[in-house]
Amino acid sequence: MKRVSIHDVAREAGVSITTISKALNNYPDVNPQTKRRIQEVVERLNYVPDAAGRSMGGIPEKVIGLLINDLKPLDPSGAVYGILSGVCHACQDRGIGFMLLTTDFAAQRTVPLKKLCLSKGLTGLVCSGFRLDDSYPAQLRDIDIPCAFIDVETGAPGVIDVTMDNERAAQEAVAFLLKNGRRNVALVNGMRTADVAVRRGRGYRRALENANLPVLPERMLAADFDEGLAHEQARRLLARDKAVDAVFCASDLMALGVCRAAEELGMEIGRDLAVIGFDDIPVARYLYGGLTTVRQDFYLMGYTAGCAVDDRINGRADSLVTGDMMYELVVRGSAPGRL
Amino acid sequence: MKRVSIHDVAREAGVSITTISKALNNYPDVNPQTKRRIQEVVERLNYVPDAAGRSMGGIPEKVIGLLINDLKPLDPSGAVYGILSGVCHACQDRGIGFMLLTTDFAAQRTVPLKKLCLSKGLTGLVCSGFRLDDSYPAQLRDIDIPCAFIDVETGAPGVIDVTMDNERAAQEAVAFLLKNGRRNVALVNGMRTADVAVRRGRGYRRALENANLPVLPERMLAADFDEGLAHEQARRLLARDKAVDAVFCASDLMALGVCRAAEELGMEIGRDLAVIGFDDIPVARYLYGGLTTVRQDFYLMGYTAGCAVDDRINGRADSLVTGDMMYELVVRGSAPGRL
DNA sequence: GTGAAAGCGCTAACAT
DNA sequence: ATGTTAGCGCTTTCAC
């Protein structure tokens, strides 16, 4: 079964392919009658212009690629999904094509970013899920299409960094704990290769320093954004350091692990131990009397990134959304108090 | 900045474009020396073959499209994400292209499925998120590429239905409750337009009938797979019908809502009220002493669908994974007992 | 208002 | 082992 081409339509409609092309691209110099006849034939033959053909002819569709690093089977925090749907909707709203691409640590060394963009024919790019030791962030200067990076402050010239002020958010969260009477606040952080983790760690530290409290290394745990690891680490910490009365976690998932550990040790969440998470995942409000957390809006980040890239594509360079994304401390039962 | 084409490479390497093409496509009849020289020029010029050009020339890349209906900003159950990453990885493993597409109720009536496939140049299709009243499932006979449907038993000839035996799974879950002493089991179901909801409802009914227990309409609630609605409905039910000692929910999210309602009414989950969910979302194991649930593996469903479609593309028609997907009753604290 | 012809970047017969 | 040429489906001058 061969594909029906513009020639088939032309033959059937009794005109030249040129006229078909013009009619389909809404050129003004086509007789309305002819146009209608053509439309009819198009319907009847179920003709659909070939994208490759158009592209070659001179109408390459604009496409924004969302490049996700290390796409995993599970996305417990929903961050990847949120960003994905955000970029996707932005492209829909702007009437521009969307393409999902993936890579990983190894592939980044094999295929240059520029080559990737070129081979996919991208007009714009949004990157997400990259760590500080990945190589694509360093290849940013090579590509010549508008590009946005999510959750990594690349600082690269011309690159749109879509991030929120993680340091300040973390600082506020810890300050909230201190203000509500906690004095021995521990930290459960993600891996050091995650830009956001580094910054949240800094915020934690700064909050303690501002309150003239000691920053104790033994109270700063790394749990790779993993519930299980957080649970394990927290259990050990809480068992040996009875003074700890609050924990700030760099993700809700890790906060869940901490809560689990605390309950196993007979502590009551929100009273004996205040726990703050990060992200505000959909189920956060239902757990442990509600998980106090720093909300961020992944969908909006994706949507913002997509729009910003599209703006750049269209020459509007005004949108520089660096560090501007919203966050909000949502106070619930796991760490009660007032702001 | 013009795109570097095969001609540029040819000129620079001092050979014809044919030789370039052959070298790049690993034809045997190219002098190894020449080939190396070409590789060099390719690197230097940063040449990347144009996808559209190849497509037209005669090497159209195979592409499987994942068509998702009604893509929302949030995916609390992680179902969409799991399927997405599954199909994506399947395509990677099989060395075939992957394309994410979206549609919605309105668009389905505007753009015929066939037209969509044609315009995107798809070689295969995986559909997810469709309801019984959507129109694409009915247009299946129109398309002439291999196609898999997830979570809808279309029954269409040639279509790969990737589903699990929802009816049997639900029946087993309810039977488990009965076996462990529960006698007044309520149902909290999703919307009637979801194929899986219909089947899970049937399983619930059948389990009761098999045990010669009455099937009471007032104990069958519809909560649209929504936590809030489930909470509301359950609260009302539990308040008026004190006999209810167990609830089977068609999703973990709704189960959470039910648990919340029960606790508000002073009931203890797992003792006063047994609650079973469906899906086994990542956080399920951490809630209410662990949520008893029917696990399903969305990632695997996506992966299976992708592979099955690829098999079909390659002429291997053996893979007919209808109703075969795994499920498993995971017993935890919210509905304790033995199988 | 319509059409003939060139050309987009590439592959594939078919020479040579 | 390499080059010539036709053609893929489309858009776009430029004549008519």
Side-chain angles (χ1 to χ4, degrees), chain B residues 284-337:
Chain B
R285 48 158 33 89
Y286 310 123
L287 315 179
Y288 301 100
L291 199 61
T292 294
T293 188
V294 179
R295 159 183 294 158
Q296 48 180 339
D297 191 334
F298 296 113
Y299 177 80
L300 190 59
M301 294 177 95
Y303 195 88
T304 304
C307 289
V309 168
D310 181 52
D311 284 347
R312 274 278 226 290
I313 290 173
N314 299 321
R316 261 171 287 138
D318 44 280
S319 53
L320 269 163
V321 277
T322 314
D324 249 15
M325 297 307 299
M326 71 79 85
Y327 68 88
E328 179 192 2
L329 183 63
V330 183
V331 180
R332 302 199 186 102
S334 77

Side-chain angles (χ1 to χ4, degrees), chain B residues 259-290:
Chain B
C259 289
R260 191 155 60 95
E263 286 199 336
E264 285 169 6
L265 294 170
M267 305 174 88
E268 186 180 318
I269 308 297
R271 195 195 58 183
D272 306 329
L273 189 74
V275 178
I276 294 190
F278 213 106
D279 290 346
D280 195 22
I281 60 177
V283 294
R285 48 158 33 89
Y286 310 123
L287 315 179
Y288 301 100

Side-chain angles (χ1 to χ4, degrees), chain A residues 62-199:
Chain A
K62 292 189 202 309
V63 177
I64 292 182
L66 170 59
L67 179 58
I68 294 181
N69 183 49
D70 206 13
L71 187 83
K72 301 222 188 59
L74 242 46
D75 175 33
S77 76
V80 178
Y81 179 88
I83 290 165
L84 169 62
S85 56
V87 178
C88 195
H89 283 162
C91 291
Q92 275 173 225
D93 291 353
R94 301 290 185 107
I96 189 173
F98 169 81
M99 187 181 294
L100 179 63
L101 304 169
T102 61
T103 187
D104 55 50
F105 191 83
Q108 289 179 53
R109 326 230 140 205
T110 315
V111 184
L113 179 56
K114 175 160 195 173
K115 188 163 278 185
L116 180 65
C117 294
L118 245 34
S119 73
K120 300 300 178 185
L122 299 184
T123 324
L125 181 67
V126 176
C127 295
S128 175
F130 288 84
R131 313 255 187 85
L132 295 169
D133 56 343
D134 280 308
S135 47
Y136 275 1
Q139 296 180 223
L140 246 34
R141 57 198 81 258
D142 300 345
I143 69 172
D144 37 14
I145 54 175
C147 174
F149 245 82
I150 293 182
D151 267 353
V152 180
E153 296 190 23
T154 68
V159 171
I160 302 158
D161 285 340
V162 178
T163 60
M164 59 115 114
D165 195 332
N166 281 283
E167 181 170 342
R168 205 158 80 94
Q171 191 194 327
E172 282 179 22
V174 175
F176 168 82
L177 289 170
L178 299 176
K179 178 170 184 183
N180 286 280
R182 308 292 168 167
R183 275 295 164 273
N184 299 279
V185 184
L187 165 73
V188 176
N189 208 348
M191 54 289 259
R192 265 190 315 277
T193 50
D195 196 27
V196 293
V198 173
R199 292 170 196 279

Side-chain angles (χ1 to χ4, degrees), chain A residues 10 27-28 58 75 99 120 127 179 197 210 260 265 277 322 329 331:
Chain A
Y27 273 59
D75 175 33
M99 187 181 294
K120 300 300 178 185
C127 295
K179 178 170 184 183
N210 286 352
R260 191 155 59 94
L265 293 171
T322 313
L329 183 63
V331 180

